[in-house]
Each structure stands twice: as structure tokens, then as C-alpha cells.
Amino acid sequence: RKEVEQDPGPFNVPEGATVAFNCTYSNSASQSFFWYRQDCRKEPKLLMSVYSSGNEDGRFTAQLNRASQYISLLIRDSKLSDSATYLCVVNGGGGGNKLTFGTGTQLKVEL
Amino acid sequence: EAGVAQSPRYKIIEKRQSVAFWCNPISGHATLYWYQQILGQGPKLLIQFQNNGVVDDSQLPKDRFSAERLKGVDSTLKIQPAKLEDSAVYLCASSLVGSEQFFGPGTRLTVL
């Protein structure tokens, strides 16, 4: 079983749609969780951290369910500029700041 | 503020040749990471340094890959000899201890 699993997509959605990405992780000792965004042929960039209480940043909402070892990202009112690959990332803890990345979910927002 | 710098941006070599990549982290960042990203996959950590010491190199193929961070600043990653399956983007990242990692633009390696 992969440490971090995501549906690779692609998700093709019209502009203005709401889209949700899911992710599961296998290490129950994982301590922190993130969503990164990676544009085509660019480096990954931190989109947002994910907290158990859920957190929102504009049109983006992230949720964490530790009991189910499940992470989600919701994008509302999709824009063309949201087209990218979204990487689910888990920090295994232990003080080493070691990040484990999922394979990423590709999003294409269309007119 | 300057970001993480990497060179070269692109490299094409033949299998069994050697190659080296260079990374200059953000000033003041003690922790430096090298990742390998194969097409269609997420980045995979190869090695993590804190200052000039290795924190984690459990996923580094040590028979052909080596990395160093002399003086705790710049770092080089070397592959010798390269295999076809080493074709990937090699990403360098840096961070303050335990904080957000910032990635460089990567070096795209093609092994023919």
C-alpha cells in the first residue's frame, strides 16, 4: 500500500464548478498534512496546511479526518487559473520534517 | 528574497555517463532536501541535510547516487553511472528547521 494515495484524475470541470479531491495516508503517526500545487513543468508550492478542525482560504477548504486517515481539498467556483496538479502531502513527524507526497491529482478547468 | 537556485535546468546524457546537479538554498535555511520526481509521480525524498550533516538518506540509491553539502550551504547531487530509469526532475528544497519547504525550479534529466 502506498503511503499517500490519491486519485490521479484528470478532473475536467467547467469554470465555476466545485471540485473535491481526496487523499488517504497509511502512517497513523503522521503529524502534519498539506496540499501543494504544482503547475506544469514547475516546482511544487505550498497551497495550504490541513488541520483537524478544517480550514479555509478563500475558495479553498481543507479537511482532515485522523480516525479515517483521510484528507480532502474542496475548490469552489473554479477558475481557469486553478488548472494544475494538486499534491497531497504528509509529514511523518519524528522531528525530521520528512514529507511524503502523493502522486497528485490533475485538475483542468475549462471554459 | 531570492529563492532556491538550481543548475543546470536541463541535462541530457547517455546511460552509464556521470552527471552532477547543484543547489543553492535560501539564505539562512539550515535544512536542504533533494527530491526525485519521475513523470506522473509525486516528488520522492532522496536525501535530507541539516547544515552539513545527513538527516535521512534512506531512499538514496547509494550504489550510484551521492550527495554532499560542504560548509552547510550549497549542495551537489551526483549520479554515477546513470541508468535509463534515472530520467526525472531533480528538485532541491530548503527550509528553516521544521518549517515550510521551498522548492527550486528543478533539473530535468534525460538519460538516453
Side-chain angles (χ1 to χ4, degrees):
Chain A
R1 182 183 173 187
K2 290 183 180 178
E3 288 188 61
V4 180
E5 295 207 55
Q6 294 182 251
D7 181 341
F11 283 51
N12 298 323
V13 303
E15 210 174 11
T18 295
V19 61
F21 303 138
N22 303 317
C23 167
T24 57
Y25 61 95
S26 61
N27 183 359
S28 59
S30 299
Q31 297 189 356
S32 51
F33 309 88
F34 310 93
W35 285 100
Y36 274 68
R37 171 187 169 134
Q38 187 169 27
D39 292 295
C40 187
R41 303 179 77 86
K42 299 285 189 180
E43 71 272 22
K45 293 184 179 178
L46 178 64
L47 178 66
M48 59 196 303
S49 300
V50 188
Y51 305 111
S52 296
S53 55
N55 49 299
E56 190 173 303
D57 183 1
R59 298 180 292 108
F60 298 81
T61 301
Q63 294 275 358
L64 166 65
N65 184 321
R66 283 186 182 271
S68 302
Q69 296 180 203
Y70 170 91
I71 306 162
S72 66
L73 176 68
L74 185 76
I75 305 176
R76 291 181 300 278
D77 189 22
S78 300
K79 311 290 185 190
L80 294 174
S81 57
D82 294 334
S83 296
T85 295
Y86 291 83
L87 296 157
C88 179
V89 185
V90 172
N91 186 331
N97 202 25
K98 178 179 177 178
L99 300 183
T100 300
F101 287 76
T103 55
T105 299
Q106 188 178 10
L107 172 65
K108 295 181 181 178
V109 182
E110 302 165 330
L111 287 172
Chain B
E1 178 181 304
V4 176
Q6 291 188 246
S7 68
R9 294 294 310 277
Y10 304 90
K11 190 74 177 178
I12 301 174
I13 61 172
E14 296 190 349
K15 59 183 179 184
R16 293 188 289 273
Q17 285 188 321
S18 301
V19 65
F21 313 128
W22 174 82
C23 173
N24 181 240
I26 293 172
S27 178
H29 282 192
T31 312
L32 185 147
Y33 315 78
W34 282 103
Y35 290 86
Q36 179 193 58
Q37 186 172 22
I38 293 172
L39 187 65
Q41 299 182 20
K44 181 183 82 170
L45 179 69
L46 292 176
I47 189 167
Q48 176 182 344
F49 292 95
Q50 185 152 317
N51 297 308
N52 59 351
V54 175
V55 174
D56 185 341
D57 64 357
S58 58
Q59 299 190 96
L60 186 73
K62 298 180 186 63
D63 58 334
R64 298 184 300 106
F65 286 64
S66 63
E68 59 182 11
R69 192 183 183 197
L70 300 175
K71 302 180 181 178
V73 182
D74 293 3
S75 177
T76 56
L77 176 70
K78 296 179 182 178
I79 308 175
Q80 180 179 9
K83 293 185 176 181
L84 297 177
E85 59 261 36
D86 298 333
S87 294
V89 176
Y90 290 85
L91 294 160
C92 179
S94 71
S95 74
L96 297 171
V97 176
S99 295
E100 179 185 349
Q101 296 183 26
F102 294 86
F103 286 81
T107 296
R108 187 172 299 272
L109 174 67
T110 302
V111 182
L112 302 176

